[in-house]
Amino acid sequence: MKKLSVGLLAVMAALLVVACMNQKAPAEQAVSSAESALAGMRDGAQKYAPDQLQAIDATLQQMKDNFAKGDYKAVVAAVPGFNSALKSLKDTVDAKTQEASEALAKAKDQWEPLSKDVPKMVDAIQSRVDILSKSHHLPKGVTKDSLAAAKSGLDSMKSTWSEASTAATSADFTTAVTKAQAVKDQASGIMKSLGMSSG
Amino acid sequence: MADDKATAAAAGNNPYTQTHVVQSGDSLSKIAQKYYGDPALYTKIFEANRDLLKDPNKIQPGQKLRIP
């Protein structure tokens, strides 16, 4: 009886070793595939879904730790959860990439008219400020303060416009449009304060 | 005067340059007084409208002048 038990234990131990050996290759493959799949979307994930990336990185690290400990079963068991998280991450990155692409296209469209209009507004203001600076009296509705504000406004508009142009040159149309729109709004206000809005 | 010509060039094709439609009784000096507060600056308006005006003393009602 004792002899039989020892034999059974030996067989069970052997089966366990075989089972473990059988799980090692799939586990190794699982870790390798997970690393490879994640590497392919890491850049986009860092940009658009850093929290999800952090969570899935933690899952991958756990899989690696389990593999290192020889717990291949745990590695294989973690695969469905990892795949599910990876799909969710991919969906998020794809959606946000599409969103960013649409926003960029929209900003590019907005930049075109702004890039033509804003310098002309600034030129018109510069011209009027230069003339009013030579005037012995200011016209009705224009004060010394509004002229002084227009002069300093010109400096800040030119500076912001330069930043907008630099952003556009770098294809950062979102920043370019934001800055150009700010200059346009400021220019509109200055034109109004100098009585340039109506004929 | 060179300064006036630079002003005129800037105003030429700029849609944001203000305009004034000449009314009966207007003169460039009166228009300069209205927009600049100084009638002596009428030359700025004259130079900006050299394509329309040959003589600063001759403007016609209905003319649309650029006010740089």
Side-chain angles (χ1 to χ4, degrees):
Chain A
M1 187 66 180
K2 190 178 176 186
K3 199 172 181 180
L4 183 63
S5 294
V6 170
L8 187 59
L9 280 173
V11 168
M12 285 174 70
L15 282 174
L16 187 62
V17 168
V18 168
C20 286
M21 291 301 286
N22 282 346
Q23 296 244 357
K24 183 179 182 182
E28 193 169 21
Q29 179 64 39
V31 170
S32 172
S33 298
E35 278 184 314
S36 169
L38 195 52
M41 65 173 72
R42 184 168 292 280
D43 288 349
Q46 272 170 343
K47 190 171 181 182
Y48 297 119
D51 291 347
Q52 276 181 271
L53 177 62
Q54 195 176 11
I56 203 166
D57 264 339
T59 303
L60 177 59
Q61 189 56 50
Q62 187 62 53
M63 288 167 73
K64 286 178 179 177
D65 290 347
N66 286 334
F67 185 83
K69 285 189 287 185
D71 190 354
Y72 307 128
K73 191 177 173 185
V75 174
V76 172
V79 169
F82 179 87
N83 285 341
S84 172
L86 190 68
K87 185 185 180 308
S88 173
L89 177 66
K90 185 179 183 309
D91 289 347
T92 302
V93 171
D94 285 351
K96 294 204 171 181
T97 301
Q98 175 72 14
E99 215 172 87
S101 172
E102 286 169 6
L104 182 65
K106 188 180 171 189
K108 199 172 178 181
D109 286 347
Q110 289 174 318
W111 170 252
E112 290 305 321
L114 284 169
S115 68
K116 290 179 175 67
D117 285 353
V118 174
K120 289 177 179 172
M121 294 175 87
V122 174
D123 284 349
I125 293 168
Q126 181 72 66
S127 171
R128 182 60 62 92
V129 165
D130 290 345
I131 294 171
L132 291 178
S133 297
K134 292 173 184 161
S135 179
H136 291 103
H137 304 282
L138 291 174
K140 191 177 172 185
V142 179
T143 63
K144 282 183 180 177
D145 285 347
S146 60
L147 180 58
K151 283 180 183 174
S152 63
L154 273 168
D155 290 338
S156 79
M157 285 191 295
K158 286 174 185 173
S159 169
T160 307
W161 179 251
S162 173
E163 291 168 9
S165 299
T166 301
T169 304
S170 308
D172 182 3
F173 291 103
T174 307
T175 301
V177 164
T178 302
K179 288 182 180 290
Q181 189 60 52
V183 176
K184 187 174 183 179
D185 292 346
Q186 190 180 1
S188 296
I190 291 174
M191 290 174 92
K192 195 174 175 185
S193 75
L194 295 180
M196 296 172 67
S197 303
S198 57
Chain B
M1 206 55 157
D3 197 23
D4 287 352
K5 283 182 179 166
T7 301
N13 294 315
N14 191 335
Y16 291 95
T17 296
Q18 197 170 13
T19 57
H20 174 87
V21 177
V22 177
Q23 306 294 312
S24 179
D26 270 351
S27 65
L28 288 190
S29 297
K30 280 186 183 174
I31 297 170
Q33 170 70 44
K34 177 181 177 183
Y35 291 100
Y36 305 146
D38 186 346
L41 292 170
Y42 76 91
T43 55
K44 303 288 184 186
I45 301 171
F46 179 59
E47 285 299 334
N49 293 279
R50 286 300 296 263
D51 56 330
L52 291 173
L53 308 175
K54 302 300 171 208
D55 183 336
N57 295 310
K58 290 180 182 172
I59 59 174
Q60 302 296 324
Q63 282 179 317
K64 193 174 181 181
L65 303 180
R66 290 182 287 272
I67 311 296

